[in-house]
Amino acid sequence: SLLAVAVALAATYGAYRFGLDPDDVVIPVVTNVCDVLGVLVLFAAVVLFV
């Protein structure tokens, strides 16, 4: 979750710096990053516990 927060902060500052609306940029970026991280955590759990 710390990585997702870091990505959200970076996307927010990046969008603001380039004059973009943070709502239009941050939400899709965080959603995609969390999806990828969720899959990676799921694979790691399968490797560890199965």
Side-chain angles (χ1 to χ4, degrees):
S1 66
L2 292 176
L3 184 57
V5 171
V7 169
L9 288 172
T12 302
Y13 286 119
Y16 181 76
R17 181 175 178 209
F18 290 111
L20 302 171
D21 184 13
D23 288 338
D24 293 337
V25 175
V26 176
I27 293 170
V29 168
V30 171
T31 301
N32 287 323
V33 168
C34 288
D35 287 344
V36 171
L37 288 176
V39 170
L40 292 176
V41 168
L42 180 62
F43 282 146
V46 167
V47 167
L48 288 174
F49 297 116
V50 176

